[in-house]
Each structure stands twice: as structure tokens, then as C-alpha cells.
Amino acid sequence: RGFVVWTFDYRGTGESLPGSMRGAPGTLDDWCLRDYDALLQAAHALHPDRPLFALGHSFGGQCAPLLPSRGLLRGLVNIAVGSGAARHNTPSIRRQAPLLWYLLVPLLCPLFGYFPGARIGVIGDVPSGAMRQWRRWCLDRDYLLGAEPGAREAYASAGYEVLGLTFPDDELLLEPGSKMLHAAYCRPVDYRVLSPASVGLARIGHFGFFRPQSEPALWP
């Protein structure tokens, strides 16, 4: 399609994990302000004359306004980007959230040196620093807009264009939370709710945009 495309693993995850998960580095600040931002700078340095876009899934879209180099962005495509606050969780996730945030994270992160989500079938393995910061965001009724200093102002002052794609069968996040984050931008947002039936799919959900069956219907 004429695009040069980059992807990457946040520190402490995937191929950016330098050994054992125990004590693995990585906070949400590291992931956004250092890792994500470094990729923007590298992509711009290699192709300074090309427009630069970010495709952010969930956290990748939530934190984009906080990027120090966000001025390099021409636009942001948000995929299933919403609020993780309890009031914006689906009912099943809302019932599980107190157990996660008040028992499992405080207990298991010190015990294992990371959050062992893969063992217990919750989220996946996450560095302790990232999990604790995400806990702080999720326990605020306005998610990162309330929990992260300067986040609301960063959203309001972002100058890039935004396309937001939300899916009503998202098993984690409710649409009001997505609307809240996108409404924090001062410039107009191209916000679209795409039901699976409208694009000929049986299901999309929180992760389904990136699955092979979504390619002909959603990727263009």
C-alpha cells in the first residue's frame, strides 16, 4: 500500500525481554516516553519527508498524546482504545477487577517479581512496574485522564488527526469509556463504531481487528 511499517516490543515483553521475567524492567512511562517515542524518532529519521502515522491498539492509542515526539505525527489510528476504569469495564470484567487490583497485583508482583498473568489466565505476564502503574490508572474513575498528571492537557493540545475505531462486542471495554477518551481531544475526531455484522464478520472484540479474517473487511 506504499507505507513503510514498523512494529516493536515494549521493554520487558516479547523480544525486548532480556532474560527472565523476574525483575523485568518496564513501566507504562518507559513504554510510552522511551520505547514508543524512540520508534517515532527512528522512523522519522529514516524517512523525514514521509508523513508519520501511529496505529495504536488499546494502550498504544491511550498513551499517544503523552509522547514527547507527538509533534512528528500526522495522524493516529486508534483500535479498541478506551478507558480501563471500572465504570467503563464490561460487567464480567467489572466483577473481576477488585480481585485483580486489590489482591492479585499487590500479592503476586512482590512474590514473583512480575505479574504472572499467563499462569493464572489473566492478561498475561507483565513487568511489575507497568502493572502497578496500570492499576493506578484503572482505579481512577477517569482512567489516565485523572490518574496521570498532565494527561488531560496533553489530549487537549494534541495537533494530529485521529481516527477512532470502536467495536460494540469488545469483551473488555464499554463504548462510554472510548467516547470519554476521544472527547478529551479538542480537535474533531473521526470516531466510528463498527459492528461485526456491518463488515461481514461474526466477531471482532478487543483483539480481533488484527486477526487474519479481519484483513479484507477492516484493514483497508
Side-chain angles (χ1 to χ4, degrees):
R1 299 292 180 126
F3 290 87
V4 176
V5 181
W6 290 62
T7 186
F8 69 105
D9 292 322
Y10 297 115
R11 70 187 62 206
T13 73
E15 294 183 14
S16 291
L17 177 63
S20 169
M21 275 297 300
R22 180 177 291 276
T27 65
L28 300 188
D29 283 343
D30 288 332
W31 290 358
C32 175
L33 306 180
R34 300 173 69 186
D35 304 341
Y36 196 160
D37 202 68
L39 189 71
L40 288 191
Q41 293 183 40
H44 175 70
L46 283 173
H47 303 284
D49 298 326
R50 293 194 180 191
L52 184 62
F53 301 90
L55 179 71
H57 174 249
S58 203
F59 170 75
Q62 295 166 4
C63 73
L66 311 182
L67 291 164
S69 301
R70 66 179 187 168
L72 298 175
L73 285 176
R74 175 77 60 84
L76 169 70
V77 181
N78 276 342
I79 307 295
V81 171
S83 162
R87 68 190 180 112
H88 297 134
N89 292 157
T90 56
S92 61
I93 298 298
R94 194 180 305 139
R95 289 192 293 270
Q96 300 167 18
L99 175 65
L100 175 65
W101 300 130
Y102 292 107
L103 179 63
L104 295 180
V105 171
L107 177 66
L108 297 181
C109 284
L111 184 63
F112 286 88
Y114 67 100
F115 181 73
R119 297 190 185 199
I120 59 177
V122 178
I123 300 169
D125 294 344
V126 182
S128 292
M131 202 66 187
R132 291 192 181 104
Q133 189 172 0
W134 190 35
R135 177 183 184 271
R136 178 164 59 82
W137 287 13
C138 288
L139 291 179
D140 191 290
R141 66 177 279 104
D142 289 330
Y143 195 52
L144 84 161
L145 295 179
E148 198 63 29
R152 197 177 296 276
E153 293 77 12
Y155 266 74
S157 61
Y160 49 77
E161 297 183 59
V162 181
L163 168 63
L165 303 182
T166 297
F167 312 109
D169 65 335
D170 191 316
E171 67 275 22
L172 303 181
L173 307 177
L174 295 175
E175 189 185 347
S178 183
K179 286 184 173 180
M180 181 192 76
L181 288 190
H182 287 92
Y185 287 100
C186 280
R187 64 177 301 149
V189 171
D190 184 353
Y191 180 79
R192 308 181 193 180
V193 180
L194 299 178
S195 68
S198 71
V199 292
L201 294 173
R203 174 158 178 73
I204 301 173
H206 192 68
F207 300 99
F209 180 93
F210 299 98
R211 294 188 173 127
Q213 63 267 27
S214 297
E215 179 177 352
L218 291 174
W219 295 3

